[in-house]
Amino acid sequence: TPPPGPRRTPPRTPPVPVPEGPPVPDDTLLGAAVRAIRAGDTAATVVRKDTSDGPSSTTPSGALPRTTPAETLATVQAAAMTGSTVWIGYVNADGAASQRVIAPVRVEGGFVTAYDHTADEVRTYPLHRITGVAELAEDGKG
């Protein structure tokens, strides 16, 4: 048998020790939590435009309507052109559903790039993961 060859990866480094005492609150984490709560409040309390025709628009109060891919694309494109804010239902890669308040900036190549009010940053969402979209009548900022 041949002698063992050189290692392919360097040896593991020991983990960084945890400092003693209670954790110190992180301003960025606290700020993100406050933004998420405010975005949820905005989505729950702002009046949404009723763009549907007929009895299929009977959704419980506060529930995001399901939209077809064509309706989703049209609504997001219109919001990007007018600079308005929309409320979306979104399923991430792990299958976890969430609701977000976004201001679309660009729609191209199957993705929407938008300012996410929940995360307080610009993010890109695949259109096929958006389950529903509703226009917001007015921005909930006062």
Side-chain angles (χ1 to χ4, degrees):
T1 63
R7 288 187 161 177
R8 293 178 155 236
T9 60
R12 287 187 171 186
T13 58
V16 178
V18 178
E20 295 295 323
V24 178
D26 185 9
D27 288 339
T28 57
L29 182 60
L30 182 60
V34 169
R35 285 190 301 275
I37 291 169
R38 287 183 180 159
D41 288 345
T42 299
T45 59
V46 76
V47 177
R48 289 173 297 282
K49 290 181 183 175
D50 187 9
T51 57
S52 60
D53 298 324
S56 62
S57 66
T58 56
T59 56
S61 177
L64 183 67
R66 302 277 306 202
T67 55
T68 65
E71 291 170 330
T72 299
L73 179 61
T75 305
V76 170
Q77 283 177 330
M81 285 190 283
T82 61
S84 60
T85 304
V86 294
W87 183 34
I88 64 168
Y90 179 76
V91 177
N92 68 10
D94 296 325
S98 64
Q99 296 178 2
R100 303 202 166 265
V101 177
I102 64 169
V105 177
R106 181 176 58 224
V107 181
E108 64 182 7
F111 293 90
V112 58
T113 302
Y115 175 75
D116 185 336
H117 291 277
T118 306
D120 197 26
E121 66 183 10
V122 175
R123 291 190 173 176
T124 301
Y125 297 99
L127 283 168
H128 71 275
R129 293 193 189 274
I130 297 176
T131 60
V133 62
E135 294 182 46
L136 299 178
E138 295 292 329
D139 286 343
K141 300 171 186 77

